[in-house]
Structures are given as C-alpha cells and as structure tokens.
Amino acid sequence: MSVTDRKASDEEITQAMTVGITFKGAKLKKAPDTNKVKTKAKKKSYITGLHGSGSAKMKAEIRRRRANRHKK
C-alpha cells in the first residue's frame, strides 16, 4: 500500500471539516554558531604544526615570524 492509495476515513473527513487542516511550515534554520571551527586549517594543531605535517610546521614557523616581525 503506497501513500497515494490511502483513503481517509469518515471520522478523519468530519474532523477536517469541523476543525480544519493545519499545514506546518518549514523548520526555521538556526543561526550558525560563530565559535564553530569549519576547516581543519583553523584548528589549533594545524595552526601550530603539531599534527606532524612538514608543510604545516613550515607554515606555523612563517606565522610565528610574521607575528613577531614588529615586536620589540
């Protein structure tokens, strides 16, 4: 039995006529969480090069040098 073959009973028809049919709207999307990390590149281990990748370690070193460039 598929969904299109279903017949409404007399009780359901009477209830629909007297009470009415309520159609629910689409669920509202939640606001995106601003503290969420979306990519691996933004995670702490990738930024500091701790996960073992040579390129990540090199990038972390470049970031450290750039951050310390104008510090006295």
Side-chain angles (χ1 to χ4, degrees), residues 45-46 48-61:
S45 65
Y46 277 77
T48 56
L50 294 176
H51 67 286
S53 167
S55 63
K57 289 178 184 176
M58 194 68 193
K59 277 182 148 180
E61 180 60 31

Side-chain angles (χ1 to χ4, degrees), residues 6-65:
R6 184 179 180 282
K7 301 290 181 192
S9 66
D10 290 335
E11 184 179 315
E12 286 179 309
I13 293 172
T14 306
Q15 182 182 5
M17 290 170 61
T18 56
V19 178
I21 300 173
T22 304
F23 295 97
K24 294 182 180 179
K27 292 184 178 179
L28 298 175
K29 291 184 179 181
K30 294 181 180 178
D33 191 11
T34 56
N35 297 331
K36 201 177 223 184
V37 176
K38 291 187 179 181
T39 61
K40 286 183 179 180
K42 293 182 182 178
K43 290 185 179 178
K44 173 77 174 159
S45 65
Y46 277 77
I47 290 172
T48 56
L50 294 176
H51 67 286
S53 167
S55 63
K57 289 178 184 176
M58 194 68 193
K59 277 182 148 180
E61 180 60 31
I62 292 168
R63 284 188 188 105
R64 271 193 290 276
R65 281 193 223 142

